[in-house]
Amino acid sequence: MHLSYLLVFLFSSHSGLSTACPRRCSCDPAQSVQCYRATEIPREIPFATRRLYISHSKIKQLQITDFRRMSALEELVLSCSGTESIENNTFKALSTLKSLELYKNQLKQIPIFLPSGLEILKLADNSINTLHATDFEGLVKLRVLDIRNNLIATLPSSAFSSLFNLQSLILDGNNMESVSAPVKLPRLKYLSMADNKLNSLPTSFFTSFKNLQFLSLSGNFLTKVPLDLPKSLLSLKLEKNQLKTVRLQDMKHLENLSEFFLSENQLTSIDGAHLLPNLTTLELSKNQLQALPLRLPGRLQKLDCSNNLIQRVTAQEFQGLQDLKHLFLDNNAVSMFEAGALQQCAQLSNLALEQNLLISIPLRLPDTLARLDLKGNDIEDVGEQELKDLKQLQVLNLRNNKISALDRKVLEYLPRLRHLYLDGNPWNCTCDLLRTRGVLMAKGTDVRGGQCAAPAERRGESWMSSKKILQQCEDNLSSIEKGKEDRKKMKPNEASSVAVNTDDDYYDYELD
Ligand SMILES: *[C@@H]1O[C@H](CO)[C@@H](O)[C@H](O)[C@H]1NC(C)=O
Ligand SMILES: *[C@@H]1O[C@H](CO)[C@@H](O)[C@H](O)[C@H]1NC(C)=O
Ligand SMILES: *[C@@H]1O[C@H](CO)[C@@H](O)[C@H](O)[C@H]1NC(C)=O
Ligand SMILES: *[C@@H]1O[C@H](CO)[C@@H](O)[C@H](O)[C@H]1NC(C)=O
Ligand SMILES: *[C@@H]1O[C@H](CO)[C@@H](O)[C@H](O)[C@H]1NC(C)=O
């Protein structure tokens, strides 16, 4: 303790010999300086500074004199400082500079003459509207270029001709309506052009992207999947476009594609994803699918078909999907769920079927399920038959159905049940239901029970916590169960069923 104090003292007084730390800045022994609320680049920044962070300041203009003597600067971050312009050559002489971040300012153009050692350039959230052919000239070491959230309307291919080491290019949130080919970025791994106004890409656009692994074109006006996508792709995002069909036949060269995101398009059907043998994630939420995709790939782990118009779930669609872990079919019109449809999915742990038209819990669900969501269906009965194999089930949501009774025997089949949502059902609060309540309390399950709809004199009472019903049923509960009730009463157990509360659609729990 004593020694470290001494060291810090010695160190700071030593560097203090050459220069003091400027006002409104903090300087640390590792040559990092952080400044806030500055109105100019502080003059007294130590020359040996390697990292300089300035934010929440008011520095309208940067000048060549601002950084002239910082001969060791490697990283410069100037953000949220209202910077509008940068004098030509301001950064040019900073031969050690590797990373330059000027995000959340009001720059109208790329700074002119950047140092050739630059590896990272981030200019997100400015007002840059044009890229010039010379903007990135000589930046042969640049690996990361982030110009998201600016006003760029076109992508001139000549602007990138020096960038043959670029690995990551982010152009999200601009005004691009078109891009011109060919852009040559042979090392590019990550390309994101989400949230622009692209309605197509030139045919040869991807020819030079031999190493592209992640591509996002989400949030554009695409009506077709671009042809000739690089076969190195691992992840493809085409969400929020205007796709009506996807021809997987044209994509079968994407042999390593692992994630494919197609949510929020206008697809009415999809067939043949088995042509993508390494696909593990397929997202198709918020389309107009009338049926589940046909011929899915055997390695699929996650399938999201929520918010569509699917009516039937049959075994045929899930043939051979033995790696499937997460299946989202919520917010559809499923009324027919074939018994045992998911039997081949021997790893399924998460099944979302909320907001459908089911009148009963599907039969023969895989015994690996940890979470089953059936909220908002038309289920009337919860039988032994449907739940007896679900030994791993931890979360069961039956909220907003038409259930009036729950046999306590059913619960004995669910040894790991931790969260049970039963509210929004027309409970018939018989003394028998109170026995079920006793079992739930003894198991320590976190339950949201909801209110009684019958008999008339108990209507509106909360059956998990009402003392009134408990007293009325006192004589009808066996002495053993009463004992349990009494023990539970010592702990404020009801508090837990209230605590989970608040948001109907969000539950905060973890599965083990
Ligand atoms: C800055 O450089 C650009 C590009 O070379 C040039 O067009 C412009 O005139 C220069 N501005 C000044 C003030 O020298
Ligand atoms: C697919 O992945 C394998 C293993 O990582 C790799 O060797 C192969 O080159 C990749 N194929 C393509 C077309 O990139
Ligand atoms: C993709 O699938 C092929 C054929 O099934 C396989 O040879 C290859 O290694 C897979 N690639 C990856 C990255 O898993
Ligand atoms: C509630 O259950 C009792 C006893 O089983 C039954 O007689 C009664 O009709 C039920 N009430 C309703 C509204 O279902
Ligand atoms: C208790 O059970 C008896 C018959 O077993 C029944 O007559 C009585 O109404 C029940 N009491 C209540 C409060 O439900």
Side-chain angles (χ1 to χ4, degrees):
M1 190 63 157
H2 208 95
L3 185 66
S4 62
Y5 255 115
L6 189 66
L7 283 175
V8 168
F9 175 75
L10 280 176
F11 207 101
S12 51
S13 62
H14 172 77
S15 56
L17 284 180
S18 49
T19 29
C21 192
R23 225 158 62 89
R24 299 211 180 102
C25 297
S26 63
C27 305
D28 77 8
Q31 267 80 43
S32 287
V33 178
Q34 295 198 39
C35 307
Y36 301 97
R37 297 196 291 126
T39 52
E40 57 175 9
I41 303 294
R43 296 291 135 198
E44 322 80 61
I45 289 172
F47 302 151
T49 298
R50 288 162 60 190
R51 284 171 291 275
L52 175 58
Y53 308 103
I54 300 174
S55 69
H56 300 91
S57 294
K58 277 194 188 140
I59 305 178
K60 259 194 159 178
Q61 212 204 353
L62 297 182
Q63 293 157 358
I64 196 160
T65 48
D66 286 337
F67 304 99
R68 205 169 41 186
R69 289 178 299 185
M70 295 187 199
S71 55
L73 200 61
E74 289 167 16
E75 186 179 349
L76 171 60
V77 180
L78 172 72
S79 63
C80 308
S81 293
T83 308
E84 291 172 7
S85 65
I86 299 176
E87 198 182 346
N88 282 2
N89 295 314
T90 293
F91 305 112
K92 180 148 201 213
L94 300 174
S95 60
T96 49
L97 194 66
K98 289 200 172 78
S99 177
L100 177 60
E101 302 188 21
L102 300 168
Y103 57 89
K104 293 193 179 157
N105 284 297
Q106 285 154 34
L107 297 174
K108 292 181 191 63
Q109 57 175 16
I110 307 284
I112 291 174
F113 302 128
L114 291 163
S116 60
L118 210 56
E119 294 174 19
I120 297 171
L121 178 59
K122 296 189 179 178
L123 297 164
D125 299 283
N126 278 285
S127 307
I128 299 166
N129 54 33
T130 315
L131 297 181
H132 304 97
T134 53
D135 279 344
F136 308 109
E137 207 163 39
L139 300 187
V140 295
K141 292 189 171 165
L142 200 68
R143 286 185 287 110
V144 177
L145 178 57
D146 181 354
I147 343 179
R148 84 186 79 181
N149 302 330
N150 277 282
L151 304 166
I152 296 162
T154 56
L155 203 60
S157 51
S158 52
F160 299 112
S161 53
S162 292
L163 306 182
F164 42 74
N165 279 308
L166 197 68
Q167 292 177 16
S168 176
L169 176 57
I170 302 162
L171 292 159
D172 300 356
N174 278 285
N175 276 337
M176 288 190 296
E177 287 176 19
S178 66
V179 295
S180 55
V183 177
K184 282 212 183 74
L185 295 167
R187 297 261 158 81
L188 201 67
K189 280 198 179 128
Y190 186 104
L191 175 59
S192 191
M193 300 195 283
D195 303 316
N196 278 283
K197 298 173 180 164
L198 299 169
N199 46 43
S200 68
L201 291 161
T203 346
S204 50
F205 182 72
F206 294 103
T207 322
S208 90
F209 300 154
K210 298 261 185 282
N211 288 295
L212 198 66
Q213 297 184 338
F214 300 89
L215 174 62
S216 173
L217 293 166
S218 294
N220 280 288
F221 302 135
L222 299 177
T223 53
K224 288 198 181 99
V225 178
L227 287 172
D228 306 323
L229 290 167
K231 60 182 184 174
S232 48
L233 277 188
L234 301 178
S235 176
L236 177 56
K237 292 191 176 209
L238 293 168
E239 293 145 305
K240 296 188 195 157
N241 276 288
Q242 295 171 1
L243 302 174
K244 291 202 165 78
T245 53
V246 172
R247 273 178 52 88
L248 286 145
Q249 188 65 29
D250 296 339
M251 301 179 67
K252 62 176 192 247
H253 60 294
L254 305 179
E255 55 171 338
N256 286 346
L257 194 70
S258 163
E259 304 175 326
F260 194 6
F261 302 94
L262 285 164
S263 296
E264 296 186 58
N265 278 287
Q266 296 157 19
L267 301 170
T268 52
S269 70
I270 189 157
D271 181 10
H274 70 294
L275 295 170
L276 304 170
N278 287 304
L279 202 64
T280 58
T281 295
L282 180 57
E283 296 197 0
L284 291 159
S285 183
K286 297 192 180 159
N287 277 283
Q288 289 147 31
L289 298 180
Q290 314 264 357
L292 276 157
L294 285 173
R295 295 187 289 170
L296 288 164
R299 291 194 185 153
L300 206 59
Q301 292 175 16
K302 178 180 175 190
L303 177 62
D304 185 351
C305 288
S306 60
N307 296 282
N308 278 286
L309 306 166
I310 297 164
Q311 297 173 9
R312 297 157 54 86
V313 177
T314 66
Q316 196 199 345
E317 293 127 1
F318 294 94
Q319 207 91 59
L321 299 191
Q322 53 215 355
D323 292 343
L324 197 65
K325 292 190 178 70
H326 309 279
L327 177 56
F328 299 91
L329 295 172
D330 52 283
N331 293 282
N332 276 287
V334 177
S335 58
M336 201 293 278
F337 196 115
E338 187 183 339
L342 304 176
Q343 279 294 301
Q344 294 206 358
C345 309
Q347 308 212 41
L348 195 68
S349 81
N350 197 359
L351 177 56
L353 279 168
E354 64 267 31
Q355 308 299 136
N356 277 292
L357 303 170
L358 294 169
I359 57 167
S360 61
I361 301 179
L363 280 166
R364 292 195 285 128
L365 290 171
D367 57 12
T368 45
L369 278 187
R371 183 189 303 204
L372 176 56
D373 198 332
L374 290 160
K375 181 178 71 181
N377 279 279
D378 294 325
I379 297 166
E380 286 181 24
D381 292 310
V382 180
E384 266 171 64
Q385 201 53 28
E386 295 113 40
L387 296 175
K388 71 177 169 26
D389 296 324
L390 304 184
K391 304 279 182 239
Q392 306 295 325
L393 200 64
Q394 294 177 42
V395 181
L396 177 57
N397 193 337
L398 290 166
R399 169 182 289 159
N400 298 345
N401 276 283
K402 296 183 173 161
I403 304 164
S404 59
L406 182 61
D407 188 339
R408 61 189 185 280
K409 262 187 283 171
V410 168
L411 300 166
E412 284 158 19
Y413 295 115
L414 304 172
R416 302 190 65 192
L417 194 64
R418 291 203 283 137
H419 299 274
L420 180 58
Y421 299 83
L422 297 170
D423 46 325
N425 281 290
W427 292 108
N428 184 359
C429 292
T430 60
C431 292
D432 211 40
L433 188 62
L434 274 254
R435 286 195 190 91
T436 301
R437 165 191 149 152
V439 172
L440 285 168
M441 286 180 141
K443 276 167 83 89
T445 308
D446 171 29
V447 185
R448 292 195 52 200
Q451 298 173 348
C452 307
E457 71 275 14
R458 293 178 191 165
R459 194 170 294 153
E461 292 283 319
S462 162
W463 64 270
M464 278 301 289
S465 58
S466 167
K467 295 225 163 54
K468 183 172 133 194
I469 311 177
L470 190 64
Q471 267 158 13
Q472 287 173 352
C473 287
E474 203 101 273
D475 307 333
N476 293 35
L477 298 173
S478 79
S479 55
I480 301 163
E481 277 155 0
K482 256 195 303 181
K484 277 179 193 161
E485 292 289 339
D486 291 343
R487 254 181 287 129
K488 285 286 164 183
K489 254 188 265 170
M490 318 262 273
K491 291 191 271 164
N493 196 294
E494 283 304 300
S496 67
S497 65
V498 176
V500 188
N501 197 347
T502 65
D503 190 345
D504 265 356
D505 290 296
Y506 178 78
Y507 355 108
D508 185 19
Y509 47 72
E510 302 240 310
L511 300 178
D512 33 63

